[in-house]
Amino acid sequence: MNEVRIEQDSLGTLEVPATALWGAQTQRAIENFPISGQPMPAAFIHALGLVKAACAESNAALGVLPADIADAIIAAAEAVARGEYDAEFPVDVFQTGSGTSTNMNANEVIAHLATTKLGRDVHPNDHVNASQSSNDVIPTTAHLSVAIEIERGLRPALAALRTSIERRSEELRDTVKTGRTHLMDAMPLTLGQELSGWAQQLADGEARLQATRPRLYALAQGATAVGTGINAPQGFGPLVAERLAARTGLPLTTGRNYFERLSSLDTLAEVSAQMKVIACSLMKIANDLRWMNSGPLAGLGEIVLPVLQPGSSIMPGKVNPVIPEAVCMVAARVIGNDATVTIAAQSGNFQLNVMWPVASLAVLESVRLLTAAARQLAARAIDGFEVRPVALDAALARNPILVTALNREIGYEAGARIAKRAYAEGRPVLDVAVEETGMDRATLARLLDPATLTRPG
């Protein structure tokens, strides 16, 4: 039989599992929101532990809490931040829009642990939640968790992917291939030049994330219920930001306007939008890889991606570009998450936005997915793909668009005739150009040299 105990809150009593560290308000949330079965992300809960520890430190420094109670709360909150009690946070993401249920889940678990450690009662509201409201704790935690995950995960992963691409770009700087616009043959470029474009996309993505830092690092703590700071001592918000900065190594600050920090999801929408751009970049890179790898006989066949697993349950020997495909699916998900955040950001009413939990879920998932996708793309696609020079050279030799290099010598119309004839007859453009123009073959060969054409002027 499942043993229970009786807990009480302002609404009355109810049964709670005997071994659970949470109390009545968490239990009510469990019963009220059996919606997705998905609790708040672990990264969010860990950041929430850091917020509760910093608040307890600040309350002790400002004389709100006795030192022994504050110390017990800090120890318990730090254990939550380390992930030791993740199973004690079962409240569904789809809950009250302020995240009050998750805040009270933390208050109750930390109070239970602190009471056990101290040997006397530590109250979830009066002590753990002192000088706080769910309305400033949850926005603070949202910003903090996203900032930590970006700095420790996404930014290093993007930098590593960019470095991998830059290394391959340098290796392939003299490997000439057919360029393509509209998926049609175009003037040549080097594979190194092509990859340099990918690297720049990622560098720009990193810069975009960097640009969001001042707003992401500005915290709501100290605003309490509506932004006025009711029940919080003077200087509480800045002190919490200072303590969190010391714990995380991030240059965190208190928000310049608390009313904006509570009622606006603009910063999370900004971060999400920047990640959407990064997702678009990754999808572009992944799809280029898929096209270049296509074939090997009936496609472009310019490169061979690492062979990672059988590609078909029915066609023996088939191998698919599984990593680029996975990356494309990640990009699709991140773009969808941005739509969720966009809708959530429109839902601020007066002094509070009531979609903090789902917005936090969406942004944190995007950070996590992009981090993992960037790492896998570097390690299992970019680092290991091999070039097929025979395929590259064969396409170059047949490319009638090389005649573009003769525009200054013979004009556009004459060049178009040569290109069409070369394509129709399946002959090298050089041979047709000799016949059509009467120019010296050596001169034409120099003008039409694909490698030279990658460095015009």
Side-chain angles (χ1 to χ4, degrees):
M1 295 180 61
N2 295 324
E3 296 184 0
V4 299
R5 67 177 191 271
I6 303 299
E7 289 280 349
Q8 182 171 346
D9 61 11
S10 61
L11 295 183
T13 62
L14 77 167
E15 295 181 343
V16 174
T19 59
L21 299 184
W22 63 78
Q25 293 199 44
T26 302
Q27 188 62 37
R28 291 191 192 281
I30 292 170
E31 295 172 6
N32 286 335
F33 308 116
I35 295 176
S36 70
Q38 182 174 8
M40 291 299 291
F44 188 95
I45 299 303
H46 301 163
L48 181 53
L50 292 176
V51 171
K52 292 297 178 180
C55 286
E57 288 178 335
S58 301
N59 276 322
L62 296 170
V64 175
L65 288 178
D68 59 345
I69 290 180
D71 288 344
I73 292 172
I74 292 166
E78 288 175 338
V80 169
R82 291 192 297 270
E84 296 177 15
Y85 294 100
D86 286 358
E88 298 294 329
F89 290 85
V91 176
D92 204 277
V93 166
F94 299 94
Q95 54 171 285
T96 174
S98 61
T100 297
S101 297
T102 291
N103 182 41
M104 283 308 305
N105 190 173
N107 290 336
E108 290 178 342
V109 169
I110 291 169
H112 189 120
L113 293 169
T115 295
T116 301
K117 179 180 178 65
L118 196 61
R120 71 174 194 273
D121 185 56
V122 175
H123 195 276
N125 296 83
D126 297 338
H127 297 137
V128 182
N129 202 60
S131 308
Q132 305 154 59
S133 164
S134 298
N135 294 354
D136 60 356
V137 166
I138 296 302
T140 294
T141 303
H143 277 227
L144 180 62
S145 59
V146 171
I148 289 172
E149 293 301 293
I150 287 176
E151 291 305 309
R152 296 179 183 176
L154 181 54
R155 290 186 70 243
L158 290 175
L161 175 58
R162 174 175 48 79
T163 298
S164 175
I165 292 173
E166 289 172 342
R167 183 178 64 253
R168 296 307 307 272
S169 176
E170 179 63 21
E171 290 174 7
L172 300 169
R173 63 182 179 177
D174 296 324
T175 302
V176 183
K177 61 165 287 183
T178 298
R180 293 179 182 85
T181 58
H182 303 269
L183 291 180
M184 304 299 286
D185 298 343
M187 292 299 290
L189 76 166
T190 70
L191 197 48
Q193 289 171 327
E194 190 166 49
L195 268 63
S196 75
W198 301 350
Q200 187 61 53
Q201 285 184 276
L202 293 171
D204 289 345
E206 293 173 74
R208 290 185 179 100
L209 280 181
Q210 179 85 1
T212 67
R213 279 173 145 186
R215 292 166 294 284
L216 183 61
Y217 291 177
L219 306 179
Q221 206 62 53
T224 66
V226 296
T228 61
I230 184 70
N231 288 347
Q234 186 70 28
F236 180 74
L239 187 54
V240 171
E242 178 185 308
R243 298 301 172 96
L244 284 171
R247 286 176 173 274
T248 63
L250 301 176
L252 303 166
T253 63
T254 192
R256 288 187 291 180
N257 187 296
Y258 281 148
F259 305 103
E260 181 273 337
R261 292 287 87 176
L262 299 192
S263 63
S264 166
L265 274 167
D266 290 356
T267 298
L268 287 192
E270 178 187 7
V271 173
S272 179
Q274 303 295 27
M275 289 194 292
K276 179 180 71 174
V277 176
I278 292 169
C280 292
S281 297
L282 291 184
M283 183 172 276
K284 195 274 186 199
I285 294 167
N287 276 328
D288 280 356
L289 287 167
R290 292 173 63 214
W291 277 104
M292 292 158 67
N293 180 77
S294 62
L297 300 179
L300 299 182
E302 295 181 343
I303 66 170
V304 179
L305 288 168
V307 176
L308 301 177
Q309 62 189 60
S312 174
S313 62
I314 190 172
M315 293 176 280
K318 191 171 186 290
V319 178
N320 297 330
V322 293
I323 296 299
E325 289 172 352
V327 170
C328 286
M329 286 190 281
V330 164
R333 179 71 172 196
V334 171
I335 293 167
N337 282 343
D338 183 64
T340 296
V341 177
T342 300
I343 294 169
Q346 299 171 25
S347 300
N349 300 116
F350 300 109
Q351 278 66 63
L352 185 68
N353 187 296
V354 291
M355 288 203 181
W356 280 102
V358 73
S360 300
L361 169 70
V363 175
L364 285 169
E365 183 184 55
S366 291
V367 175
R368 177 175 57 84
L369 290 175
L370 288 174
T371 298
R375 287 174 177 160
Q376 292 303 98
L377 188 61
R380 293 181 174 267
I382 299 296
D383 287 347
F385 77 76
E386 298 177 1
V387 177
R388 299 182 68 196
V390 172
L392 295 181
D393 293 344
L396 280 170
R398 298 192 308 270
N399 184 3
I401 306 302
L402 294 176
V403 78
T404 302
L406 302 182
N407 279 359
R408 293 181 182 177
E409 304 293 332
I410 63 174
Y412 183 93
E413 297 298 337
R417 287 195 300 272
I418 293 171
K420 291 177 181 178
R421 181 181 166 193
Y423 178 75
E425 297 176 5
R427 298 171 62 200
V429 70
L430 174 60
D431 293 346
V432 177
V434 170
E435 295 172 5
E436 288 280 336
T437 67
M439 293 175 62
D440 176 74
R441 186 179 186 88
T443 300
L444 286 170
R446 176 177 55 80
L447 292 172
L448 295 172
D449 176 49
T452 301
L453 296 178
T454 67
R455 297 180 293 274

